[in-house]
């Protein structure tokens, strides 16, 4: 049983997913906890688990829907009324919404999403950051997303809110650089939580490649404690996605993301083959656009991209640069294959060429 650190971490969205896994990590390290979510029953159960398994000394439960007006102010007021000093703030609470913006999605749900993902996070940060600066000590973790640096058709408003979170966080990193307060952005790829079910996107292709929330939380926790400005969990693969989002034409990235967010095909073989062919075509077109754009850039722009790669972190730049070279070579080969496919005259010949 740990003796506690005497410090307190406040985690929003703590009842499930990445937020719950982060709460576990803080509990294991002896932090007192303030857990905020809409379900107090779940939080009560978590409180019992943390106290019995990790010896957590103090767990404060605040039931609050942060999508409501001035909810963040109410959370702050409750914390102050209990004389709790928040040493670490984790803005994890957030939701998504799936569908075509113009015709499929509901404005009231979008408005609530913007309030939760943007307004509540910003107000929570402002309130607790002020106190941290007065002490010249503190840490904040904001949950962004890999979608914060790429367009995402079919989740346009969600991606927009996460772009705000990422930009906002990096701006604060600069403002706070001469203090002992740090802010970190967590940019996970699709993660195995209840997010896609709540967003109405449970049958999308991207759900076939979701990542472990335990891993995402651990990478985010380590980066937070190290005071890093951002972290992309999941190793080289996800960091390569980050680099591609910087150098690829936005039209190409939108096409790739549209395919990932599209509905899974029916299980019958014929439909699967057709859908696979369409997906392959989208990927090739996106890749071809990337190659053309890269080959047609000036030496100045190429140098600028290489400079960006070098700034991505310590010993990763060479690995990521190599990954980008591999991606470009792969797309060059794919382009050649598409040219062979285009030369075929019958559907049977086309399918034979694609399956080769």
């Amino acid at each position: 049983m740990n003796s506690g650190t005497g410090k307190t971490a406040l985690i929003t969205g703590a009842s499930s997913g990445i937020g719950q896994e982060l709460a576990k990590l803080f509990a294991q390290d002896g932090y007192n906890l303030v857990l905020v979510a809409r379900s107090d029953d779940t939080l009560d159960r978590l409180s019992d688990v943390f106290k019995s398994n990790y010896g957590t000394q103090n767990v404060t439960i605040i039931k609050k829907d942060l999508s409501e007006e001035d909810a963040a102010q109410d959370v702050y007021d409750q914390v102050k009324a209990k004389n709790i000093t928040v040493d670490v703030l984790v803005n994890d609470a957030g939701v998504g919404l799936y569908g075509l913006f113009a015709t499929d999605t509901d404005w009231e749900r979008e408005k609530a999403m913007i309030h939760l993902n943007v307004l509540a996070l910003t107000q929570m940060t402002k309130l607790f950051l002020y106190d941290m600066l007065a002490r010249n000590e503190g840490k904040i973790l904001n949950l962004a997303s890999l979608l914060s640096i790429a367009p995402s058709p079919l989740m346009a408003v969600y991606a927009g809110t996460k772009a705000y979170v990422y930009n906002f966080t990096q701006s604060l990193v600069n403002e706070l650089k001469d203090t002992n307060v740090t802010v970190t952005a967590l940019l996970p790829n699709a993660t195995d939580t209840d997010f896609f079910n709540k967003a109405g996107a449970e049958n999308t292709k991207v759900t076939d490649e979701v990542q472990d929330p335990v891993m995402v939380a651990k990478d985010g926790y380590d980066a937070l404690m190290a005071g890093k400005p951002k972290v992309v969990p999941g190793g080289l693969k996800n960091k390569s996605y980050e680099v591609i989002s910087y150098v690829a034409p936005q039209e190409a990235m939108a096409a790739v993301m549209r395919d990932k967010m599209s509905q899974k095909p029916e299980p019958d073989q014929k439909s699967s083959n057709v859908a696979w062919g369409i997906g392959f075509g989208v990927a090739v077109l996106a890749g071809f656009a990337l190659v053309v754009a890269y080959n047609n850039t000036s030496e100045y722009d190429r140098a600028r991209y290489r400079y960006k790669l070098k700034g991505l972190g310590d010993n990763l730049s060479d690995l990521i640069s190599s990954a980008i070279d591999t991606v470009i070579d792969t797309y060059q080969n794919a382009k050649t294959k598409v040219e062979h496919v285009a030369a075929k005259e019958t559907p049977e010949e086309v399918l034979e060429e694609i399956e080769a």
Side-chain angles (χ1 to χ4, degrees):
M1 181 176 294
N2 65 60
S3 58
T5 64
K7 293 186 175 182
T8 299
L10 187 156
I11 302 125
T12 69
S15 60
S16 63
I18 298 171
Q20 184 178 120
E21 297 303 328
L22 284 165
K24 289 179 184 178
L25 293 170
F26 282 106
Q28 289 170 9
D29 279 354
Y31 278 77
N32 296 318
L33 301 174
V34 178
L35 306 180
V36 182
R38 289 181 297 179
S39 172
D40 53 354
D41 290 340
T42 301
L43 295 183
D44 285 335
R45 290 194 295 270
L46 283 176
S47 176
D48 293 339
V49 169
F50 293 157
K51 289 177 179 178
S52 61
N53 291 359
Y54 310 124
T56 307
Q57 295 179 351
N58 294 298
V59 180
T60 301
I61 303 300
I62 298 179
K63 181 183 179 181
K64 180 60 61 176
D65 182 354
L66 290 173
S67 67
E68 296 175 351
E69 191 70 25
D70 290 327
Q73 182 69 57
D74 184 56
V75 169
Y76 178 79
D77 291 343
Q78 290 190 50
V79 169
K80 297 296 285 185
K82 297 177 186 295
N83 293 317
I84 297 172
T85 297
V86 172
D87 301 281
V88 181
L89 170 64
V90 177
N91 285 310
D92 172 78
V95 294
L97 186 61
Y98 178 80
L100 293 170
F101 173 71
T103 57
D104 294 348
T105 55
D106 175 71
W107 168 242
E108 291 302 319
R109 290 187 64 186
E110 282 169 332
K111 184 168 65 173
M113 176 172 61
I114 293 169
H115 197 292
L116 174 61
N117 294 6
V118 174
L119 294 179
L121 178 144
T122 306
Q123 190 174 19
M124 291 283 288
T125 301
K126 192 172 189 70
L127 292 167
F128 287 101
L129 177 58
Y130 185 87
D131 293 341
M132 290 178 182
L133 284 175
R135 302 190 306 269
N136 196 27
E137 182 182 20
K139 296 180 181 295
I140 298 175
L141 180 67
N142 288 333
L143 190 70
S145 167
L146 268 181
L147 294 186
S148 66
I149 54 175
S152 185
L154 300 177
M155 294 196 79
V157 177
Y158 172 77
T161 64
K162 291 303 179 178
Y164 170 86
V165 171
Y166 177 67
N167 193 297
F168 170 64
T169 302
Q170 296 312 303
S171 298
L172 292 184
V173 167
N174 178 268
E175 291 184 9
L176 299 171
K177 63 184 178 64
D178 296 324
T179 75
N180 291 324
V181 180
T182 62
V183 187
T184 303
L186 175 58
L187 283 73
N189 204 340
T191 305
D192 189 12
T193 68
D194 201 33
F195 171 84
F196 290 100
N197 290 328
K198 291 179 178 177
E202 64 275 10
N203 196 44
T204 52
K205 293 179 183 177
V206 73
T207 58
D208 287 335
E209 51 188 78
V210 291
Q211 298 184 315
D212 184 2
V214 175
M215 176 275 294
V216 171
K218 184 62 168 64
D219 283 1
Y221 185 82
D222 290 345
L224 171 71
M225 291 304 168
K228 295 181 178 179
K230 67 175 179 178
V231 59
V232 177
L236 182 60
K237 177 182 177 181
N238 286 344
K239 291 176 177 63
S240 298
Y241 289 154
E242 179 191 10
V243 175
I244 291 171
S245 72
Y246 292 149
V247 301
Q250 291 297 285
E251 295 85 352
M253 288 302 301
V256 170
M257 294 309 302
R258 175 67 180 266
D259 181 63
K260 282 183 174 292
M261 291 308 303
S262 62
Q263 295 288 307
K264 296 177 186 178
E266 294 299 323
D268 65 280
Q269 188 64 40
K270 182 176 180 180
S271 296
S272 296
N273 283 340
V274 172
W276 187 93
I278 293 172
F280 175 79
V282 169
V284 169
L285 287 173
F288 180 61
L290 169 58
V291 172
V292 170
Y294 183 83
N295 288 339
N296 289 339
T297 54
S298 65
E299 286 300 322
Y300 169 79
D301 286 334
R302 292 189 188 190
R304 183 162 57 87
Y305 294 147
R306 287 194 293 270
Y307 177 79
K308 282 187 177 182
L309 294 179
K310 290 180 180 178
L312 285 176
D314 300 338
N315 299 320
L316 287 171
S317 58
D318 291 338
L319 289 173
I320 296 174
S321 298
S322 175
I324 291 300
D325 290 340
T326 300
V327 170
I328 291 175
D329 289 342
T330 301
Y331 280 138
Q332 290 279 27
N333 293 335
K335 173 178 173 288
T336 301
K337 186 164 187 174
V338 167
E339 290 172 347
H340 286 308
V341 171
K344 301 302 178 181
E345 295 182 355
T346 68
E348 290 76 13
E349 289 178 321
V350 171
L351 285 175
E352 289 174 2
E353 185 67 29
I354 289 177
E355 293 169 355

